[in-house]
Structure formats: structure tokens, C-alpha cells
Amino acid sequence: MSEAQAMRDLPAIMAERRALVDAALDRWLPPPTEPPAIIHEAMRYSVFAGGKRLRPMLALFGCEVAGGTPEDVMPGAVALELIHTYSLVHDDLPAMDDDDYRRGRPTCHKVYGDAIGILAGDALLTHAFQVLADQAAAGVPALRHLRIIAEVAAAAGSVGMVGGQTMDIQAEGKVLDPAVLLTLHSKKTGALLRASLRVGGLAGGADEAALAHLTRYGERLGLAFQIVDDILDIEGNSAEMGKTAGSDLRKHKATYPAVFGLEASRQEAARLLGEAREAVRPFGEQGAVLVALADFVGQRRS
Amino acid sequence: MSEAQAMRDLPAIMAERRALVDAALDRWLPPPTEPPAIIHEAMRYSVFAGGKRLRPMLALFGCEVAGGTPEDVMPGAVALELIHTYSLVHDDLPAMDDDDYRRGRPTCHKVYGDAIGILAGDALLTHAFQVLADQAAAGVPALRHLRIIAEVAAAAGSVGMVGGQTMDIQAEGKVLDPAVLLTLHSKKTGALLRASLRVGGLAGGADEAALAHLTRYGERLGLAFQIVDDILDIEGNSAEMGKTAGSDLRKHKATYPAVFGLEASRQEAARLLGEAREAVRPFGEQGAVLVALADFVGQRRS
């Protein structure tokens, strides 16, 4: 597929992959009637709250570039989305960011109470690893599957995503050193986005060179995604974002525009997305979708 | 080893195994200086708070009975203790049981704040799976290791431990049907104790018959352990338990003595421990330590 074609087809490709991912999430989550029902309802409430499925999408694209099928990577794709969802559920708790709305709907703990909010997050995180391990017999060789589990755990844990959330909590109300902000972002959102590409590559049988290209793409895209997110928080409106515009600013969150300014942030996002595109050039036409996705991230408005 | 000898040697055996487990926990947790330091300090604060290491002990004994070495099961043993610890950290949060002390020390969130309490629990749970997957290459075949990961996830998740905690939250202040109380206990503490024996058996190469014996032992011992725990909460004193005696009662927690009475609870614990002993008779002298451990649980005072 040419890049122009990929750009044109991207919305349809993303809609089709999102349907695959949503079907797998529905299939692999315990049914809402499984007792105790409230925890399974709460898990599904948060998972089916209208997310972009960016991490599964990156895993699927990474797998395809490496020569694999959607089936090869689907357990990993589902696990990444469950982990992303749990992190939002816990982030929204009163003891953390204390958000009542996300994507225009009341947050999990507002609907089910704080205790169930904590437990639903715990259950989603645990279920991610069950999906990864249960599906292990199918498709991907066992040793490679163990490597995928280790990658996901490292990206999600205390030196990855949870480490980034810890830095975020500690940073509130402080003016951050630019280098510290970069580390915070690379952990908080970067680690899981990077892992999404790597999980895709590993499931698809990528060699170390291809993995390195995907890793570089994931790092650049992940950082750009976060910067665009920060910019949208300032510029966006509540309806499109599903949360109150300027809420990061009011909470004195550590954001890119707050440290570098709005115009420099825009330029940095564009520069990083250029590097992301370059990183997947070696894949030729196979990488066209990843190039188109980088453009999509640069242009998103919500 | 004869049963009499096992009974006599059990304290020394448990002390020796506990030292092995503590050394592995120290080796496999990120160092306390790893940034962000506060999350790694909080993880270690909770892990090294003087727990009995019952789950690792059960995994080690289960592995030995099946013919394995402590090294074969150590990743599983460490993962089970990390998961147990995270469940205590989250259970103690204000939105859950709201406990300020555990094992005589301030709880994690009292020392580090509620947000870090949530994140430290998340990090411990995630790290459990990293340890399981990282160590996978060593010793145990990859497919069996994947089965171990799936068993641990199922026992810890929404149909296991988290499901039991959910029932516990929902049960507060209510009079429970005896059957519901049994389900609650079998999920909340039973699932992980049962899994500890199974993880040990799987790591040691147990066949399905041996696994079934260990599973039965684990179920009976787990339920007895919880009943004894409930009894000690009523009878114990704060110094020995490290928490306020009668605290379950005051919170109107669903407990065995509250539903069945104290004397019937004592008899039920003794009956279950008898069944646990019978379950491991087929192992002969190899099972002597498990028989002795059942006696130990029946006699514990804290």
C-alpha cells in the first residue's frame, strides 16, 4: 500500500481493527453476569467507555509489519488495552486525580463507589496477564510469549507506567525541570505505547533490527502523542475531549506547554512525528499504515 | 522424614525457607534507590513488614513433594507473596477497610499517602508477573511456566481473590447466608492459598493425580486458615495480631464465628485440617511437612 493510499484508508482501517479489538475484549472479559456481578459490570463499564484503542491498534500494526496476523497479537492487544483502562480507573480515584468524568461519562468510582473502583482496576490489571498467559498455547511459540509478558509487565510497572504516575503525583504544583518532564512522560504514557509496538513486533516474529525500528517509532510517537494531548487540554473544548478543557492547567499538572510554551510544543510534536515516520521507512510499503498513523496523531483534535 | 520428626523440625524448616524467600524478594524487587525512589521504598516497606510468608512456604513444600527444588518454584513463590502483599496494601486503604496499622506498623498509605498506597499496590501486582515471566527461561519448561502464570492470574483476579474482596465489601453490615460466606472465603483467601500449592506442584513437575492431592490439601488448609484467623480476631490480643482485636467484629465483617458461633467454628477448622492431612497421605513420608503444617495452622496463636 502506498502512503497516500494508507492516509486515505486509515479511518476505515482503524474502524475495522477497532471492531476486531472490541470483539476480542468482549469475548475475553468475564461475562457481566459472572458473580460477583458488580466487579464484572465495573470492568466492562470502564473498558467499553469509548476509548480510541490506540495501544491495540499499534500492536496490530506492529505485528502486521513484522509479517504476523491479527490473531497472533490479539491477546497482547487486549492485555494492553486492559492495562491502559485500569490505569485510567485508578488515576481518576479521589486519592489520585479525582476526576468525575472521562470521555463524557461518569468515572468508574463515581458509578460504583471508590472501593469497587480500586478493585475493578486491580481486576483489569490481573486479567490482562490471564489473557496473555491463557492464549499462550495458540499461535506464538511459548518462549516468545513469555518475553511478551515480561515486556508488558516491565512497561506497566514501577519503572514504567506506574513510575510515571508516581512522578506525576509528586510533581503536582511544582515547576518541573524539562529533563524530568521528559522522563515523566516517557514513563507515564511512553512506556506502554512503546511496548505496544514491541509486543506487536514480537508476536509477528520480528527480528532484532525490525524490533529496533518499531521501538524507535513507538518512542517518538508516544512522546508526540502526549505533547498533543497536553496541547489539546489547553485548546480543546470539553465536548470533544470528554473532560473539562484546561483541567491539567488548573491542577498544576506537569505539561509540555507549561514548561516549553505552546508554539515550541507544537514544533516538538511535529519534529518527533517526523522521526517516527523516518524510523519505519525501512519497512517500505509495509510500513505505510504506521506512517499514516503518525500523521493522524499530528492532526487529532480530540 | 516421619511426621513426628516433621512436627519437631517444622519451626526450623520454616525459618530456613523464610530466609530463602526473603533473600529472593530482596533480589527480585527493584532496589530502593531506583527512581522514582518513593514507589520502590513503599513496595519494600510493605513486603518487608514481617509477614509469615505462608504462600511461598506452601509453594516450596508443594514443589518439594512433587520432586522439584526450591529454585524451580522461587519465581512463583515470590510472585504469590507480592500479590498477597498488594492485596493487603489496597485492603488497608481508606476507601476499603481503612486500617492504620498492620502487623504492629503503620500501613503503607499512612506512611506514604493514599495515592502512593494505590500505586505501590499496582506496582507489586505488576511486578509479580514480571518476576514470573522474567525467570521463565530458568528451570521450568516454558509451556508449564505459562500455565503457572495463568493459574496465578486466575486465583488473584475477579473470579478469585479480587472477587472475594468485592463480596467482602458488599457484605459489610449484612448477615450472610452460610453458603455465601463459604464462597466469600474460598475466593478471598482460599483461591491464592490453593494456587500456592498448585504452583508448587506444577513447578515441581507433579502429575495430575499429585496436583489433585495438593489442590484438595490447599482448599481445606486455606479455609481452616481463614476460620482460625476469624477466631483469633475475637480471642487474640492486639500485640500478638498486630491489629486491634475484635476489629472485624466492630466493622461488621462477615466472619465464621459470627455466622456459625465460636465453638462450631473451632470444630470446623479441626475437621478441615483433618481432611487436609488425609489429602496428602498418598505422598507418604514426602508429605510429612505438609501434615505438620496443617497442625501448625490449627495451633497458631497469631
Side-chain angles (χ1 to χ4, degrees), chain A residues 34 36 38-40 86 90 95 114-115 119 122 125-126 129-130 133-134 136 142 146 149-150 153-154 158-159 162-163 166 170, chain B residues 34 36 38-40 86 90 95-96 114-115 119 122 125-126 129-130 133-134 136 146 149-150 153-154 158-159 162-163 166 170:
Chain A
E34 173 80 31
I38 191 173
I39 193 78
H40 298 110
Y86 116 77
H90 279 189
D114 295 354
L119 292 170
D122 294 346
L125 172 56
T126 310
F129 289 101
Q130 197 176 349
D134 271 353
L146 283 166
I149 299 175
S158 61
V159 299
V162 171
T166 303
Q170 293 188 289
Chain B
E34 174 79 32
I38 192 174
I39 194 76
H40 297 110
Y86 116 75
H90 280 188
M96 303 275 290
D114 295 354
L119 292 170
D122 294 345
L125 172 56
T126 311
F129 289 101
Q130 197 176 348
D134 271 353
L146 283 166
I149 298 175
S158 61
V159 299
V162 170
T166 302
Q170 292 187 292

